[in-house]
Amino acid sequence: MNFQQLRIIHETVRQNYNLTEAANALFTSQSGVSKHIKDLEDELGVELFVRKGKRLLGLTDPGRELVKIVERILIDTKNVKRLAEQFSNRDKGRLTIATTHTQARYALPSVVTLFKKAFPQVHLVLHQASPGEIVTMLLDGIADIGIATEALESVAELASFPYYSWHHAVIVPHEHPLKSIHPLTLEAIAEFPIITYHEGLTGRAGIDQAFARAGLLLDIAMSALDADVIKTYVELGLGVGIVASMAFNPTRDTRLNLLDSSHLFEKNTTNISVRRGHYLRGYAYRFIELCLPSLTESAIRSGVKPEADDVELDN
């Protein structure tokens, strides 16, 4: 068994058993991929793939178990390289953060500023993606740290830690009828078209659940990926906006009003996640600690989960 065979097994599975795509990804030939797989099966004495003629359809039971081992080996191989980089050059390197637009725009600017001052020679990549894409990037080793409200905590391969808690907020233009209703109710909001987040983003499920529990149907006039777009169309009078509370800045959003609606929606928690077994450089732990001081390197390594802070983020 050699390292190239392990890479071929892993890439073949990644490419949904398409030998041509696996060969292209590894810059080799399809026949070479097939030979490596057959040689490994002969060496182990078991078939790793279910076949129909020359096509691969899936994994056998031994194949599924081997892929788990291969993934660990490939992660550890990357970790060896990262370990060498850590001790040869502690303050230089690359750190990839996968996060949503909301976190990148409203939660992380102050953290990034402090981090870049402390580690000016670290190339920081802030990759904006959906929660599902963030999970994939973490599992594939493309991202070192993931930050999002959805999806992360439910993935067993990830170690997830609460970062901060927040509520949704209702925003309306000046002179909107909802400004005169105290306290604000879901029934009153449901009388108007709603502009809010796209499904699967920034706690949208919690918004839908709140109205469903009240037996109310929402008229979703528009849905968007980020709060800036939502605010733009609320300003134009096309509907009532429901956004993450930290997305509203009174000094910038002068054409809008924030209505007290924290009593209407349940608390959301944004998580910081890393892949279990993924080697992190010292500056990666420092970035996480800048996000949440109680989330130290030792806390991450031991899996201690501090309570998320209920915070109002400055903009």
Side-chain angles (χ1 to χ4, degrees):
M1 182 186 303
N2 57 54
F3 186 70
Q4 178 66 1
Q5 289 173 326
L6 300 184
R7 291 183 65 219
I8 284 174
I9 295 295
H10 181 257
E11 195 59 43
T12 301
V13 174
R14 276 174 51 87
Q15 299 299 335
N16 198 28
Y17 314 110
N18 187 314
L19 294 178
T20 301
E21 293 298 326
N24 291 338
L26 295 170
F27 304 101
T28 186
S29 65
Q30 180 176 335
S31 60
V33 170
S34 298
K35 185 178 186 305
H36 275 293
I37 292 175
K38 187 64 171 63
D39 288 346
L40 181 57
E41 289 181 323
D42 289 344
E43 179 182 345
L44 297 177
V46 294
E47 289 190 348
L48 302 175
F49 292 94
V50 177
R51 290 174 169 83
K52 184 176 183 180
K54 293 184 178 181
R55 292 176 54 210
L56 302 183
L57 302 181
L59 290 167
T60 63
D61 289 341
R64 281 191 288 271
E65 293 301 315
L66 177 66
V67 166
K68 295 177 184 177
I69 298 172
V70 169
E71 288 178 344
R72 292 198 298 267
I73 291 172
L74 294 179
I75 290 173
D76 285 341
T77 301
K78 292 179 181 178
N79 287 343
V80 170
K81 294 179 180 179
R82 292 172 180 270
L83 180 65
E85 292 170 353
Q86 166 80 342
F87 286 95
S88 64
N89 211 332
R90 292 178 179 271
D91 296 335
K92 292 182 180 179
R94 179 186 180 96
L95 179 64
T96 300
I97 311 295
T99 188
T100 60
H101 171 89
T102 298
Q103 307 307 325
R105 173 67 179 83
Y106 299 105
L108 294 180
S110 60
V111 173
V112 169
T113 300
L114 292 173
F115 180 83
K116 289 302 295 180
K117 287 181 179 178
F119 300 96
Q121 298 186 80
V122 172
H123 177 48
L124 181 64
V125 179
L126 203 60
H127 192 108
Q128 294 182 50
S130 69
E133 291 169 335
I134 294 169
V135 169
T136 299
M137 292 180 70
L138 289 170
L139 295 180
D140 289 346
I142 298 171
D144 301 295
I145 299 168
I147 302 175
T149 302
E150 289 85 7
L152 301 181
E153 194 173 19
S154 62
V155 180
E157 294 87 350
L158 302 180
S160 296
F161 306 87
Y163 177 8
Y164 69 97
S165 295
W166 52 275
H167 286 84
H168 284 104
V170 174
I171 54 173
V172 294
H174 300 314
E175 309 306 324
H176 194 279
L178 285 180
K179 288 184 61 180
S180 62
I181 298 178
H182 303 285
L184 188 64
T185 65
L186 293 174
E187 288 77 9
I189 297 171
E191 292 293 322
F192 298 90
I194 302 299
I195 305 175
T196 190
Y197 298 104
H198 189 70
E199 289 88 348
L201 295 175
T202 322
R204 168 63 190 274
I207 297 172
D208 294 341
Q209 290 167 7
F211 285 95
R213 283 194 296 268
L216 299 169
L217 292 176
L218 280 182
D219 175 14
I220 303 293
M222 290 183 62
S223 59
L225 298 180
D226 64 74
D228 292 335
V229 173
I230 295 170
K231 289 187 288 186
T232 296
Y233 288 97
V234 172
E235 288 179 359
L236 293 174
L238 298 184
V240 171
I242 303 178
V243 298
S245 56
M246 61 278 193
F248 180 82
N249 186 329
T251 61
R252 293 178 181 173
D253 301 319
T254 56
R255 298 174 62 186
L256 296 172
N257 288 98
L258 179 72
L259 306 184
D260 181 14
S261 53
S262 59
H263 59 290
L264 300 178
F265 304 106
E266 292 187 355
K267 180 174 68 174
N268 297 276
T269 299
T270 295
N271 289 288
I272 298 175
S273 297
V274 297
R275 172 158 184 169
R276 300 183 190 276
H278 180 73
Y279 183 81
L280 294 177
R281 302 280 296 274
Y283 51 70
Y285 288 109
R286 181 58 180 153
F287 183 95
I288 296 173
E289 194 171 352
L290 287 171
C291 292
L292 187 64
S294 60
L295 200 50
T296 61
E297 180 176 347
S298 61
I300 295 170
R301 290 181 180 276
S302 63
V304 174
K305 295 189 177 183
E307 290 297 320
D309 294 329
D310 293 300
V311 298
E312 291 290 337
L313 295 176
D314 296 327
N315 297 300

